[in-house]
Amino acid sequence: MKKILVIIFVFCFSAFAKAQCAMCRAVIEGSGDTAAAEGLNSGITYLMAFPYILVGVIIYMIYRSTQKKSDQIEG
C-alpha cells in the first residue's frame, strides 16, 4: 500500500520538476513567450509519464502472474 501511495505522490507532484527540456524551454523563453514555455514544459511532463505508467503496469502484471503460479503450486 505504501508503494502505491508513493507512486501516486510522485505523479501528482511531477509538475514541480521544471527541467524536462532545458534547450527547448530556453529557446522559447528567449523569444519572450513564457506562457508557451510553461505549456511546452507541462506537455513534456505529461508525455514523460506514460512510459513509466506502462512499464509499471507490465511489472505489476508479471508480479501478479508469478504470485498466482506460486499459489497454485503450494495449494
Side-chain angles (χ1 to χ4, degrees):
M1 186 65 179
K2 283 185 178 181
K3 291 180 184 179
I4 293 172
L5 291 175
V6 169
I7 290 171
I8 290 171
F9 180 79
V10 167
F11 283 118
C12 288
F13 293 103
S14 65
F16 294 119
K18 296 289 184 186
Q20 281 79 27
C21 182
M23 288 299 283
C24 298
R25 188 169 179 192
V27 169
I28 292 176
E29 282 181 347
S31 67
D33 193 4
T34 57
E38 288 296 322
L40 178 68
N41 202 33
S42 297
I44 291 169
T45 304
Y46 177 74
L47 291 173
M48 180 190 72
F50 285 102
Y52 289 106
I53 292 170
L54 289 174
V55 169
V57 168
I58 291 170
I59 290 172
Y60 175 73
M61 291 172 66
I62 292 170
Y63 171 76
R64 190 177 65 184
S65 173
T66 57
Q67 289 299 320
K68 284 183 180 179
K69 287 181 183 177
S70 68
D71 287 344
Q72 289 176 352
I73 293 171
E74 291 175 1

